[in-house]
Amino acid sequence: MTRPLSLAALTVLELTPPAMVRCAFHAGYSHVGLRLIPATGTEPRYDLVGDTPLVREVAAVLADTGVQVLDAEIFRLLPGQRVGDHEAAVATAARLGARELLVAGNDPDDARQMDAFADFCALAGRYGLGAVLEFMPWTEAKDLAAAARIVAHSGCANAGVLIDPFHFSRSRSRLEDIALVPPAQLRYLQFCDVPAAIPPSMDAILAEARAERLFPGEGELDLVGLLRAVPPGIPLSVEVPTQRLARTVDATERARRALAATRRVLAQVEE
């Protein structure tokens, strides 16, 4: 079985959603990630929830290219928010054929956040989707151990932990920590690289995360070790924002370079 390789939205965030799908197709990816809900207030906002002209256009481009949707993002667990508030976006993700929903834990009340994640998993399950919690050092699910605990509490078969090598490094998680997560909960993996040195402040880490990562194999992370610690053939979402490079290199060429770099790392795993 061919491993799904997906172009994450953050890699080519300057593109509209239909253009992201076309970019994934022309760069050689089998899948794409769609950002239905912006991650920050400064990102472009698209009318991409519900039965909108843009949703219909994305569906048409997916059908025309044969590209599939690996994941849809970003579903935040926030204080005072009802899980049902996400249903329209979850339904849209299902309509577009997504397999997974990317969740971020942003509620400082631990018990409430665990219950909210369980409720979100139940909502995702009604649409046949997985719900994966991505740990990030600036969120309340700060590292792999914290995310594993929240996911385990849910008791849901469709729940998962999402490992991003960037957050894995910057949260000081360890390869041996992956044993905390049952293999079935590692539903897919994000993929990128960075220097080993961790920036001195959370603001600097955030800036690096959102704007300047490295193509796989061009940094200092043990990506081969990471891939050997997770289930074989796990889908990869290639998430490599490179804003400086984007000033001179277009989105499709950057996406091609990211994919070629990913395949070089995969070849090392298979040696």
Side-chain angles (χ1 to χ4, degrees):
M1 180 178 176
T2 303
R3 181 196 299 265
L5 298 175
S6 181
L7 176 63
L10 189 59
T11 305
V12 290
L13 200 58
E14 75 266 34
L15 300 180
T16 66
M20 285 182 183
V21 177
R22 295 188 188 96
C23 178
F25 173 71
H26 290 298
Y29 293 80
S30 60
H31 289 68
V32 69
L34 295 176
R35 187 163 281 188
L36 305 185
I37 304 167
T40 71
T42 60
E43 289 182 13
R45 303 187 73 88
Y46 298 104
D47 195 9
L48 206 57
V49 173
D51 184 24
T52 69
L54 187 58
V55 169
R56 293 194 292 272
E57 182 182 355
V58 170
V61 177
L62 288 166
D64 183 56
T65 60
V67 171
Q68 299 176 59
V69 180
L70 176 63
D71 63 340
E73 55 178 331
I74 178 172
F75 295 86
R76 295 193 182 278
L77 304 178
L78 297 165
Q81 185 177 54
R82 299 178 306 160
V83 168
D85 294 342
H86 292 299
E87 185 159 9
V90 171
T92 302
R95 172 180 176 174
L96 294 173
R99 292 167 48 166
E100 312 289 347
L101 302 175
L102 190 158
V103 183
N106 293 107
D107 190 336
D109 185 309
D110 189 56
R112 185 173 59 200
Q113 177 161 265
M114 289 196 294
D115 290 344
F117 181 72
D119 290 344
F120 185 87
C121 290
L123 171 63
R126 293 201 292 273
Y127 288 88
L129 301 173
V132 291
L133 181 64
E134 182 177 17
F135 61 91
M136 295 171 261
W138 56 85
T139 67
E140 275 60 47
K142 296 184 181 301
D143 54 24
L144 178 56
R149 179 177 53 82
I150 294 167
V151 171
H153 176 269
S154 76
C156 296
N158 65 327
V161 174
L162 179 57
I163 298 174
D164 179 323
F166 180 93
H167 304 311
F168 190 82
S169 164
R170 278 30 184 168
S171 68
R172 303 182 189 275
S173 297
R174 305 168 301 167
L175 286 176
E176 50 265 39
D177 294 337
I178 296 174
L180 297 168
V181 186
Q185 292 179 357
L186 294 169
R187 301 175 64 90
Y188 72 108
L189 185 74
Q190 290 185 333
F191 215 53
C192 67
D193 212 337
V194 282
I198 298 176
S201 70
M202 195 57 69
D203 284 345
I205 290 173
L206 268 165
E208 184 184 40
R210 293 173 176 167
E212 296 300 339
R213 305 191 197 182
L214 300 174
F215 295 134
E218 297 184 5
E220 298 172 307
L221 303 186
D222 184 8
L223 297 179
V224 171
L226 177 59
L227 286 170
R228 288 176 175 161
V230 299
I234 187 172
L236 301 182
S237 172
V238 184
E239 186 174 70
V240 191
T242 50
Q243 288 189 6
R244 282 195 295 268
L245 185 63
R247 296 171 190 159
T248 56
V249 177
D250 68 31
T252 301
E253 177 57 26
R254 297 192 330 269
R256 287 192 183 112
R257 293 184 190 182
L259 183 59
T262 296
R263 286 177 169 153
R264 286 193 292 270
V265 175
L266 287 171
Q268 295 177 53
V269 176
E270 294 161 3
E271 287 177 352

